[in-house]
Amino acid sequence: EEEGGVLANLNDGDMAGCIPSLAACTGMRSLTLNYLNLSTNSCAALRSVFPRMATLRVLVLRGNSLDDNCTRLLAQGLSGCKQIQSLDLCNNRISDNGLDVLVQSLPTSVDALYLARNDITLARHVLLLRFRVLDIWGNTLCPGGTRVIAASLANPESRLEDLDLSQCNVGEEGAATLAESMRNNQRLTLMSLAENNITKEGWNAFSSILCDTSSINA
């Protein structure tokens, strides 16, 4: 599971051959397969074994070679895992297309999605309000990317409570956009904006929001 460990020498084909043995683990609640060069073949194998893991709640696949096609395979396999709550796909190669697949196809039970250090730009509109926890730090958002997030934060049906946007190219304008979207938000409790080139001017956009307790006390 460790980056640079012995198992890191395995390739996608090797892992695809090993994964079917997991089908016997029908009571598994958490599965971690990090830094194992997983890609299309491995995800196809996982798609076949996930239906046997009805009690799976946490899936962690960090630091592999997962792309947008892999997200489709994973979502198909997880469709029957009605108890899964958390999916961690950090440090992969997932773009906006893969994010769309995850938002639309993951079981409704998934309320924590971790996608740090992928290739997400939020270049087009996608509703992110279904998740309670969303981590996309380290993705370089396009200039309008913060507006996509703001649209979900401003939506009264948003479930977002914990949002990590560190190192996401937010900038001054993006900070102002996010601040305004929080004016009537009653759910968000934590938002990380570290290392986004936000100056005093950008942070000042949050002042009136933070000093207004009406949404907190509502």
Side-chain angles (χ1 to χ4, degrees):
E1 296 176 0
E2 297 298 326
E3 184 175 11
V6 175
L7 293 180
N9 294 321
L10 298 175
N11 60 38
D12 182 43
D14 294 331
M15 291 305 303
C18 297
I19 287 171
S21 64
L22 294 173
C25 305
T26 56
M28 184 176 290
R29 297 163 70 92
S30 178
L31 176 61
T32 299
L33 297 171
N34 292 342
Y35 303 104
L36 293 172
N37 299 312
L38 304 186
S39 191
T40 305
N41 293 324
S42 298
C43 289
L46 285 169
R47 177 180 59 179
S48 298
V49 301
F50 283 150
R52 303 288 299 276
M53 299 179 177
T55 60
L56 188 66
R57 295 189 178 183
V58 177
L59 177 61
V60 184
L61 302 175
R62 286 180 170 236
N64 288 292
S65 299
L66 308 183
D67 57 16
D68 296 336
N69 186 50
C70 292
T71 64
R72 179 181 59 81
L73 295 169
L74 292 172
Q76 290 172 351
L78 291 170
S79 61
C81 298
K82 302 303 183 183
Q83 296 185 39
I84 189 167
Q85 299 171 348
S86 176
L87 178 61
D88 187 336
L89 301 176
C90 295
N91 292 83
N92 281 290
R93 304 171 182 173
I94 298 167
S95 75
D96 291 352
N97 291 332
L99 176 60
D100 280 343
V101 170
L102 296 173
V103 170
Q104 296 175 25
S105 304
L106 285 176
T108 56
S109 57
V110 177
D111 69 354
L113 181 61
Y114 300 89
L115 290 170
R117 293 196 175 279
N118 274 280
D119 298 321
I120 294 166
T121 65
L122 296 183
R124 58 179 181 275
H125 184 68
V126 56
L127 282 177
L128 302 170
L129 47 84
R130 60 163 289 185
F131 302 107
R132 180 181 59 83
V133 178
L134 181 63
D135 178 358
I136 57 173
W137 81 268
N139 287 277
T140 303
L141 303 186
C142 72
T146 52
R147 289 197 293 271
V148 175
I149 298 167
S152 289
L153 289 174
N155 191 311
E157 296 182 5
S158 175
R159 300 180 64 237
L160 281 168
E161 296 179 6
D162 185 339
L163 178 61
D164 194 341
L165 299 174
S166 302
Q167 298 181 28
C168 279
N169 192 40
V170 171
E172 304 282 54
E173 183 177 346
T177 299
L178 292 171
E180 183 60 30
S181 73
M182 293 172 58
R183 188 169 297 279
N184 296 310
N185 184 290
Q186 298 179 26
R187 293 296 298 268
L188 193 71
T189 57
L190 176 64
M191 180 164 63
S192 300
L193 289 168
E195 299 182 62
N196 271 302
N197 296 317
I198 302 173
T199 67
K200 181 179 179 180
E201 180 181 353
W203 293 121
N204 282 342
F206 288 92
S207 297
S208 62
I209 308 298
L210 296 174
C211 294
D212 181 1
T213 61
S214 59
S215 65
I216 299 174
N217 297 327

